[in-house]
């Protein structure tokens, strides 16, 4: 296990290193001046431009420049936005919390019904229930999330007027952003009418989270179903039945834990899909997260923001992947053995 | 008059026939196949079937509802949008942008990815584990994010979006081809042909390829579904096809402003996109089941 953890961590560090090289190169590949692209200071601001150029080592060769880039990266000085001169790193910290909030909540909401329906449909293999659940999940993950969100807005928010559709909270509540995640922020700020603030925040968060949770839920159903079907064919299930265990015992303590192994392995690809959908949902619901900022910055050509945002999202995905691999290997020792044998 | 079968011969249907049987067994899957063929026909012959141009404005018919509602007009079967453009025409033209171009892009990147994957798999000894790890990392980053990176460098636009999607799909094909050939490598039939002393080219095209083509076909449908969704998503985010282009995703983005007054302008491109994606996914799924059954025999 120790060797496996080390291997994974070394791999993570190497990929993160490659990622920083890539992000560094981006400021050359973007059209325009590399100094402006990486620091966000225009060349007509002569004094600060010269400052930025010298502090980023632009008088030296490319290796010196990369070294200075890394130093700035670790110092948390990611340049300023070309549009509104906000420091990129501070903004990203705030927006990261907001993005994580809806992504994590959607994943949690998707998890329980997804696994439950998957198990249900595997137990009723090729019966009407199975067919219903399967076709529901097939059409569920084929719905483009941006269209689904619009229909949800049209029906729930406009026709029935039940929920608000934009932002994190009613702007009348003056909540100072600390973590970016609105529910945590209300808790930290302790405003006078906390109950009302919480109600408003929850009403704002409901629709994006629900729309976002549909796709992972549908994929989870399919994953759970196919891995349950594999497991139910195994000999140990037959022997568990032969021991005289009740169906409930067999399913809950033999079939489901083993079926989860495959599901955890596939969870990584599901999470990266979730992240892209989060970006789209943020744009639609004007959620102040990384995704909406990144997409806005792409068509405003705000290069420091693009660079920082891409670096952060890609690093997040890589870290989550490694974490999932580690959890997988820790929970299921037989996987570990396989990995050692093949490597 | 049916002939009695005299011999107990067991006729195994050919692989293609078996795929067809699987489609026949499942009416939904067959419907999906017909829908895809229908969309393909629309892609090719669309301009000859439509009464109006895609950007032609009919000024006396602005924001007309579909023909079956009371205010509708039979000249415009599915109504018109806020600029008086016929929705049927725009959706038929949109099939080209949202289904046709991604289809071509997927074919192109499949050709590149598969040949690169074959080369990677045939050259043993070159740091193939490095390549594998790199590919694993690249595959773990979602395709839309990679496309966004490429578009950030090249700038928004339909051709850049198509280029980005094509580039993003190549590693996936590479990965799948390489893994498939690696899995087949150790099998006895490969060893047998090796002992026969065939050349690498022959080994690749006549021995490996017929046996991995199933995996590649499945990957093709997955890639197509990803490409369609990503092109539409980029169009929706206004980073792909730009405004007057009747691409379904960008039509959805334009309809945002009027969705509350004329909901059909929003609903129709969405339904078209949804039907296309469901059909592609369902056909892919059926192919997968059919191939799995063949492996189990």
């Amino acid at each position: 296990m120790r060797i496996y953890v080390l291997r994974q961590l070394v791999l993570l560090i190497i990929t993160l290193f490659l990622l920083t090289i890539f992000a560094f190169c981006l400021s050359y590949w973007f059209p325009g001046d590399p100094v402006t692209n990486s620091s966000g200071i225009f060349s007509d601001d002569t004094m600060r431009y010269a400052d930025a150029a010298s502090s980023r080592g632009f008088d030296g060769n490319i290796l010196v420049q990369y070294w200075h880039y890394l130093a700035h990266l670790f110092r948390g000085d990611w340049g300023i936005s070309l549009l509104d001169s906000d420091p990129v790193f501070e903004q990203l910290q705030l927006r990261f919390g907001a993005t994580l909030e809806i992504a994590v909540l959607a994943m949690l909401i998707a998890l329980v019904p997804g696994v439950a329906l998957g198990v249900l449909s595997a137990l009723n293999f090729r019966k009407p229930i199975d067919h219903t659940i399967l076709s529901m999940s097939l059409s569920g993950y084929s719905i483009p999330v941006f269209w689904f969100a619009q229909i949800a807005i049209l029906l729930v928010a406009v026709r029935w007027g039940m929920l608000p559709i934009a932002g994190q909270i009613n702007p009348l509540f003056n909540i100072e952003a600390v973590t970016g995640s609105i529910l945590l922020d209300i808790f930290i700020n302790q405003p006078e009418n906390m109950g009302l603030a919480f109600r408003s925040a929850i009403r704002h968060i409901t629709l994006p989270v629900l729309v976002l949770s549909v796709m992972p839920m549908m994929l989870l159903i399919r994953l759970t179903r196919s891995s349950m079907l594999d497991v139910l064919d195994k000999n140990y299930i037959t022997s568990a039945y032969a021991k005289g265990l009740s169906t409930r015992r067999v399913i809950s303590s033999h079939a489901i834990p083993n079926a989860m192994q495959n599901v955890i392995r596939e969870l990584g690809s599901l999470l990266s899909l979730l992240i892209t959908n989060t970006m789209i949902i943020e744009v639609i619901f004007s959620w102040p997260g990384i995704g909406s900022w990144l997409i806005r910055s792409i068509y405003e050509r705000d290069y420091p923001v693009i660079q920082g945002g891409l670096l952060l999202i890609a690093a997040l995905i890589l870290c989550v992947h490694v974490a999932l691999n580690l959890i997988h290997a820790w929970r299921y020792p037989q996987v570990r053995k396989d990995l050692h044998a093949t490597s | 008059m049916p002939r009695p079968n005299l011999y107990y011969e067991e006729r195994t249907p050919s692989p293609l026939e078996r795929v067809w049987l699987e489609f026949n067994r499942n009416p939904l899957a067959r419907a999906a196949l017909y829908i895809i063929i229908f969309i393909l026909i629309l892609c090719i012959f669309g301009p000859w079937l439509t009464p109006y141009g895609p950007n032609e404005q009919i000024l006396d018919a602005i924001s007309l509802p579909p023909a079956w509602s009371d205010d509708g007009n039979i000249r415009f079967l599915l109504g018109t949008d806020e600029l008086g453009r016929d929705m049927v025409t725009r959706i038929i033209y949109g099939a080209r942008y949202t289904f046709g171009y991604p289809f071509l892009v997927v074919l192109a990147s499949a050709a590149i990815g598969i040949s690169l994957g074959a080369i990677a798999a045939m050259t043993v000894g070159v740091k193939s584990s490095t390549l594998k790890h790199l590919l694993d990392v690249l595959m773990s980053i979602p395709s839309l994010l990679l496309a966004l990176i490429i578009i950030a460098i090249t700038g928004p636009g339909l051709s850049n979006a198509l280029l980005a999607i094509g580039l993003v799909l190549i590693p996936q094909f590479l990965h799948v081809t390489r893994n498939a050939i690696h899995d087949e490598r150790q099998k006895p039939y490969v060893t047998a042909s090796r002992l026969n002393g065939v050349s690498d080219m022959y080994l690749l095209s006549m021995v490996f390829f017929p046996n991995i083509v199933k995996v590649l076909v499945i990957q093709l449908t997955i890639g197509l579904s990803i490409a369609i969704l990503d092109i539409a998503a980029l169009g929706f985010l206004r980073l792909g096809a730009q405004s007057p282009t009747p691409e379904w995703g960008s039509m959805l983005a334009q309809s945002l402003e009027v969705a509350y007054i004329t909901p059909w302008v929003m609903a129709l491109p969405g339904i078209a996109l949804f039907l296309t994606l469901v059909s592609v996914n369902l056909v892919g799924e059926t192919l997968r089941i059919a191939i799995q059954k063949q492996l189990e025999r």
Side-chain angles (χ1 to χ4, degrees):
Chain A
M1 182 70 192
R2 200 178 300 143
I3 300 174
Y4 183 71
V5 172
L6 272 179
R7 271 178 61 114
Q8 287 287 320
L9 289 183
V10 168
L11 200 66
L12 178 68
I13 290 170
I14 293 176
T15 28
L16 287 181
F17 173 69
L18 288 177
L19 192 66
T20 57
I21 292 186
F22 181 76
F24 170 71
C25 293
L26 277 181
S27 56
Y28 286 89
W29 293 339
F30 287 144
D33 178 22
V35 182
T36 308
N37 287 346
S38 58
S39 66
I41 297 166
F42 287 106
S43 54
D44 43 359
D45 190 353
T46 329
M47 285 269 290
R48 289 174 60 208
Y49 181 81
D51 255 10
S54 70
S55 82
R56 283 175 186 267
F58 273 92
D59 33 12
N61 63 7
I62 198 106
L63 282 176
V64 177
Q65 288 177 27
Y66 177 64
W67 178 248
H68 282 283
Y69 168 77
L70 271 190
H72 275 87
L73 205 63
F74 284 113
R75 230 184 298 145
D77 176 7
W78 292 21
I80 55 174
S81 159
L82 288 176
L83 274 185
D84 41 17
S85 303
D86 281 335
V88 173
F89 187 68
E90 277 77 18
Q91 279 289 317
L92 279 179
Q93 267 180 325
L94 284 184
R95 288 167 180 273
F96 188 63
T99 300
L100 222 54
E101 184 177 33
I102 50 173
V104 168
L105 281 179
M107 194 66 213
L108 289 182
I109 288 181
L111 220 51
V112 177
V115 170
L117 286 176
V119 170
L120 186 69
S121 98
L123 291 182
N124 296 294
F125 184 49
R126 291 204 177 140
K127 287 187 189 147
I129 298 183
D130 183 30
H131 287 301
T132 321
I133 294 178
L134 256 193
S135 33
M136 185 182 84
S137 84
L138 187 80
S139 45
Y141 84 76
S142 302
I143 292 187
V145 68
F146 38 92
W147 187 55
F148 189 55
Q150 274 181 289
I151 288 187
I153 289 178
L154 198 62
L155 281 183
V156 178
V158 178
R159 235 352 95 77
W160 304 333
M162 281 178 3
L163 294 169
I165 53 169
Q168 278 185 310
I169 193 169
N170 192 325
L172 290 177
F173 293 98
N174 186 16
I175 305 289
E176 195 196 339
V178 183
T179 56
S181 143
I182 189 69
L183 295 176
L184 282 180
D185 275 353
I186 293 176
F187 198 71
I188 292 170
N189 270 307
Q190 300 278 356
E192 291 158 32
N193 33 19
M194 207 159 93
L196 281 177
F198 262 123
R199 256 197 73 188
S200 165
I202 288 176
R203 277 165 54 87
H204 276 81
I205 209 172
T206 311
L207 206 53
V209 166
L210 284 184
V211 170
L212 198 53
S213 69
V214 167
M215 214 260 330
M217 196 192 299
M218 298 307 164
L219 277 173
L220 263 176
I221 291 178
R222 304 173 66 76
L223 282 177
T224 317
R225 175 177 177 273
S226 66
S227 99
M228 264 307 262
L229 286 179
D230 281 351
V231 168
L232 285 178
D233 266 353
K234 292 273 162 64
N235 284 336
Y236 52 77
I237 297 294
T238 322
S239 86
Y241 276 119
K243 277 195 293 200
L245 293 184
S246 65
T247 312
R248 214 156 116 216
R249 273 298 291 285
V250 176
I251 301 298
S252 67
S253 56
H254 290 262
I256 292 184
N258 285 302
M260 281 305 108
Q261 181 192 331
N262 274 326
V263 176
I264 289 183
R265 200 176 57 205
E266 300 289 334
L267 219 52
S269 51
L270 209 154
L271 281 174
S272 29
L273 274 176
L274 182 67
I275 295 285
T276 40
N277 279 355
T278 312
M279 290 172 23
I280 298 174
I281 287 289
E282 278 173 7
V283 175
I284 297 174
F285 288 94
S286 325
W287 194 262
I290 299 182
S292 54
W293 205 34
L294 182 65
I295 287 165
R296 193 204 69 180
S297 69
I298 289 179
Y299 45 73
E300 308 280 5
R301 313 207 166 201
D302 190 349
Y303 297 116
V305 177
I306 302 179
Q307 221 175 350
L310 288 179
L311 190 65
L312 193 59
I313 294 184
L316 171 73
I317 290 171
L318 292 177
C319 290
V320 167
H321 260 262
V322 169
L324 275 177
N325 276 348
L326 288 181
I327 291 176
H328 191 216
W330 168 65
R331 276 295 283 127
Y332 301 99
Q334 75 269 34
V335 184
R336 222 144 69 203
K337 258 179 219 151
D338 281 358
L339 288 168
H340 274 304
T342 51
S343 60
Chain B
M1 186 184 141
R3 256 192 201 172
N5 199 351
L6 284 182
Y7 306 103
Y8 287 110
E9 59 175 347
E10 182 141 330
R11 205 183 75 83
T12 9
S14 75
L16 261 183
E17 268 176 333
R18 267 178 270 169
V19 170
W20 177 241
L21 284 177
E22 185 62 35
F23 271 106
N24 259 338
R25 227 173 48 79
N26 186 347
L28 273 179
R30 213 167 26 171
L33 192 65
Y34 291 148
I35 289 180
I36 288 185
I37 294 172
F38 178 65
I39 295 171
L40 265 180
I41 292 174
L42 283 190
C43 284
I44 300 167
F45 300 108
W48 289 284
L49 298 175
T50 51
Y52 310 100
N55 292 323
E56 185 183 334
Q57 298 183 349
I58 296 106
L59 290 176
D60 57 338
I62 285 172
S63 291
L64 276 186
W68 54 85
S69 92
D70 288 342
D71 305 328
N73 186 333
I74 197 63
R75 274 164 66 213
F76 310 102
L77 192 59
L78 295 178
T80 55
D81 66 2
E82 75 279 9
L83 296 177
R85 296 175 293 193
D86 182 33
M87 286 305 286
V88 181
T89 313
R90 281 178 75 71
I91 283 179
I92 289 178
Y93 270 88
R96 264 194 187 185
Y97 293 99
T98 315
F99 185 81
Y101 288 156
F103 189 68
L104 295 180
V105 163
V106 169
L107 286 186
S109 57
I112 300 173
I114 289 172
S115 34
L116 284 181
I119 295 171
M122 297 304 282
T123 50
V124 200
V126 185
K127 287 287 165 206
S128 68
S129 89
T130 322
L131 181 72
K132 185 173 174 296
H133 281 308
L134 260 179
L135 279 179
D136 278 346
V137 170
L138 209 54
M139 302 271 292
S140 71
I141 294 180
S143 61
L144 190 65
L145 189 64
L146 281 177
L148 280 182
I149 298 177
I150 297 172
I151 286 178
I153 298 173
T154 57
L158 180 63
S159 50
N160 287 342
L162 288 170
L163 179 76
I165 303 285
L167 285 179
V168 166
L169 286 176
I170 289 176
Q172 303 200 358
F173 282 106
L174 208 165
H175 190 76
V176 166
T177 316
R178 190 179 159 282
N179 283 357
I181 292 186
H182 253 255
D183 288 347
E184 298 289 318
R185 270 207 111 80
Q186 310 300 333
K187 297 202 173 154
Y189 75 93
V190 177
T191 319
S193 356
R194 258 178 207 284
L195 287 176
N196 280 344
V198 298
S199 69
D200 269 359
M201 202 55 219
Y202 184 89
L203 197 67
L204 197 61
S205 57
M206 307 302 281
V207 180
F208 280 132
F209 195 67
N211 289 292
I212 63 167
V213 73
K214 309 159 183 169
V215 189
L216 299 182
V217 167
I218 292 176
Q219 182 62 31
L220 217 57
T221 60
I222 295 175
L224 183 60
S225 148
I226 292 176
I228 293 175
L229 192 56
D230 283 358
I231 282 287
L234 288 175
F236 180 79
L237 297 172
R238 296 167 204 266
L239 296 173
Q242 298 297 316
S243 196
T245 317
E247 196 269 330
W248 294 339
S250 67
M251 281 165 76
L252 276 176
Q254 290 162 47
S255 74
L256 275 179
E257 294 133 22
V258 294
Y260 312 123
I261 319 161
T262 58
W264 61 90
V265 177
M266 183 199 82
L268 292 172
I271 290 174
L273 189 56
F274 172 63
L275 273 182
T276 316
L277 283 171
V278 167
S279 312
V280 172
N281 286 337
L282 197 55
V283 167
E285 181 78 14
T286 315
L287 281 175
R288 201 177 58 79
I289 292 174
I291 286 164
Q292 209 171 18
K293 275 188 183 166
Q294 290 182 25
L295 288 180
E296 279 166 10
R297 282 170 79 99

